[in-house]
Amino acid sequence: MTAGDVSTKTKRKTASRARGRKPEGRPVPSGLPAREAAVRLASAVLHHGRSLDEALAKEFQSSALAARDRALARLIAATVLRRLGELEAVLSSFLEKPLPERQGDLWPILLAGAAQLLFLATPPHAAVGLAVEQARRDRFARRYDRLVNALLRRTAREGADVLAHCDAARLDIPTWLFERWTKAYGEADARRIAEASLAEAALDLSVKGEPAPWAQRLGGIVLPTGSVRLKAGGRIEDLAGYAEGDWWVQDAAAALPARLLGAVAGRTVADLCAAPGGKTAELAAAGARVTAVELSASRLARLRANLDRLHLDADLVEADAATWAPGHAFDAVLLDAPCTATGTIRRHPDILRLKRPEDVAALSQQQARLFDNAVRLLKPGGKLVYCTCSLEPEEGSDQIARLLAREPRLSRLPILPGECGIESDWLTPEGDLRTLPYHLPNERAELPGLDGFFAGRLVLGG
Ligand SMILES: C[S@@+](CC[C@H](N)C(=O)[O-])C[C@H]1O[C@@H](n2cnc3c(N)ncnc32)[C@H](O)[C@@H]1O
């Protein structure tokens, strides 16, 4: 299909609609602002290298968009980022020649339209009509409005058939990442990890009290690890217990590392790399005397706000945890190091488009520096849990192996099956935690999965 290859009937209809008033003069159709926001969000990630969270904060800081439209914009943008390879394959299969260079937001408009048609069950008249309208309001894409109409109509009719022959795992996961997973886990598991990473994650909550009453009240289930799981969607702030600070959002796998420190009531714990504070909250709720260390002032402010909502307390320190030296040691240290976060693609599909192979090496060097300082902060006999939400061995098991080799006073305290509800196939032969996105299956399609977390537990000899 080309810019000129549009049926005469369609041409006549679109021409008569476009005649007369300029698009900017027409009333804004309902649903358009959400689609425009979605295209800006996807472009911010794909063309400007911003994270989706940053883009969302910027997009909505002064936006009049209603909560429902914001959620829709996020959903469309996240679907474009998650399913980019498949969407490009479908659209490209209908294009006879590449799109011209200077075309404004034409391509992201097409991607967002196709995402709605193929993955979000948006009625074709809405997805196509609003994409055409969007193109008409874009200075450079305007002259391709008929192409948008024809391409998306064809996507609505034939796109599902093209999709059925696509290898989603290979198209949507960047080759370098899929190859890394194949090397680390084998081809079959790499494929399972990829497929599970492309599903949207459920909403997991860590609750202060007993989980069962909260699961009942919120219409969720209690997981074997004690987290409460709900179907994702809707405004978190509107759920019962949010304003009262009875729970916080935290993936079930992310809730495990802090609990691996065991009974912490009355003990001093350094929580390194702490914001936004899910693990700080767990430790504080368990009665620990927590010092939370975080490099970013803005993220530390968010941690403070989160603790305030939860009526929990901790000492907050803005510092580089790789060099921080408070002059005293702690009973326990938790290091949740910055990482490529490849275990959290379900929640952060922008990772697929932003991370590069070289990030693994750079971050693993930073993790080693943080790890060395974590050991310096530990009292003899103290426990240290190191964790990352990465699937890459360099950011997980290799860090533990290297630290044990250079620090003979440390030894591994293997994690045992059943501890904190941990299943045996989430553990490595050495006794480290290695959750994968396909773990914790569930017969309800919206409830399975875990973030890919690594955690190792060590103890410092006297
Ligand atoms: C994986 S997140 C931590 C998540 C947090 N532990 C939780 O459970 O909510 C990593 C955090 O480390 C922070 N960070 C990165 N480098 C750091 C450093 N050198 N010192 C302290 N914090 C750092 C980042 O700003 C980010 O907030």
Side-chain angles (χ1 to χ4, degrees), residues 273-279 293-296 299 319-322 336-338 366 370:
C273 305
K279 297 175 190 68
V293 183
E294 167 60 46
L295 186 63
S296 152
R299 287 177 66 84
D320 179 350
D336 185 11
Q366 205 182 333
L370 287 159

Side-chain angles (χ1 to χ4, degrees), residues 24-378:
E24 310 85 76
R26 292 203 296 270
V28 176
S30 90
L32 187 67
R35 269 72 178 185
E36 288 178 330
V39 165
R40 281 193 295 272
L41 290 169
S43 288
V45 176
L46 294 173
H47 303 140
H48 304 289
R50 249 180 253 135
S51 77
L52 183 57
D53 281 348
E54 276 166 12
L56 284 162
K58 186 161 183 283
E59 177 67 34
F60 296 140
Q61 71 188 354
S62 58
S63 157
L65 220 54
R68 242 184 83 217
D69 283 339
R70 290 179 187 212
L72 177 60
R74 190 201 177 279
L75 180 64
I76 297 171
T79 308
V80 167
L81 298 171
R82 187 175 284 127
R83 300 288 182 172
L84 186 67
E86 289 172 279
L87 294 170
E88 290 188 331
V90 171
L91 289 170
S92 303
S93 75
F94 299 145
L95 271 176
E96 274 157 25
K97 57 178 190 179
L99 293 177
E101 293 246 317
R102 206 171 154 82
Q103 28 111 327
D105 272 337
L106 178 59
W107 191 238
I109 290 170
L110 286 167
L111 290 170
Q116 293 168 70
L117 291 167
L118 297 174
F119 293 105
L120 301 177
T122 308
H125 69 268
V128 180
L130 289 168
V132 170
E133 188 62 34
Q134 255 181 292
R136 286 191 186 139
R137 287 165 190 259
D138 181 301
R139 191 151 66 96
F140 297 110
R142 182 173 297 163
R143 64 201 145 114
Y144 302 109
D145 61 344
R146 284 176 297 160
L147 178 69
V148 171
N149 185 54
L151 253 183
L152 289 181
R153 282 193 186 285
R154 186 145 175 215
T155 301
R157 281 194 315 273
E158 301 169 36
D161 290 340
V162 180
L163 214 52
H165 295 98
C166 282
D167 183 347
R170 296 311 308 260
L171 282 172
D172 293 328
I173 306 291
T175 303
W176 69 269
L177 195 53
F178 193 89
E179 284 174 357
R180 278 189 139 272
W181 293 348
T182 304
K183 194 167 161 224
Y185 302 98
E187 164 93 33
D189 263 23
R191 189 162 277 285
R192 291 177 79 190
I193 291 170
E195 280 161 6
S197 297
L198 294 176
E200 209 181 339
L203 176 68
D204 289 351
L205 308 178
S206 292
V207 303
K208 272 195 206 156
E210 280 300 308
W214 280 107
Q216 198 179 20
R217 194 162 165 202
L218 297 169
I221 58 170
V222 181
L223 298 177
T225 57
S227 291
V228 170
R229 179 163 287 184
L230 316 178
K231 183 179 177 309
R235 255 168 56 88
I236 285 158
E237 295 84 345
D238 294 341
L239 292 175
Y242 175 85
E244 296 77 11
D246 290 318
W247 47 258
W248 58 99
V249 174
Q250 186 177 37
D251 182 85
L256 295 171
R259 288 166 39 206
L260 294 175
L261 288 174
V264 288
R267 301 197 170 257
T268 56
V269 182
D271 176 14
L272 307 182
C273 305
K279 297 175 190 68
T280 316
E282 280 181 282
L283 294 166
R289 289 153 58 202
V290 190
T291 304
V293 183
E294 167 60 46
L295 186 63
S296 152
S298 59
R299 287 177 66 84
L300 198 65
R302 213 171 123 206
L303 194 162
R304 166 57 65 207
N306 287 339
L307 289 182
D308 287 349
R309 177 180 68 82
L310 295 167
H311 312 294
L312 293 171
D313 200 19
D315 288 336
L316 305 195
V317 177
E318 184 188 326
D320 179 350
T323 53
W324 181 60
H328 59 88
F330 292 82
D331 295 323
V333 176
L334 175 64
L335 169 57
D336 185 11
C339 66
T340 52
T342 52
T344 67
I345 289 167
R346 301 177 314 145
R347 299 180 194 285
H348 302 289
D350 50 334
I351 287 168
L352 291 170
R353 312 301 157 212
L354 297 174
K355 296 295 174 194
R356 300 284 172 260
E358 52 274 22
D359 294 331
V360 179
L363 282 157
S364 57
Q365 278 179 20
Q366 205 182 333
Q367 289 150 7
R369 286 192 322 119
L370 287 159
F371 215 167
D372 281 333
N373 200 40
V375 178
R376 288 193 279 271
L377 295 170
L378 206 55

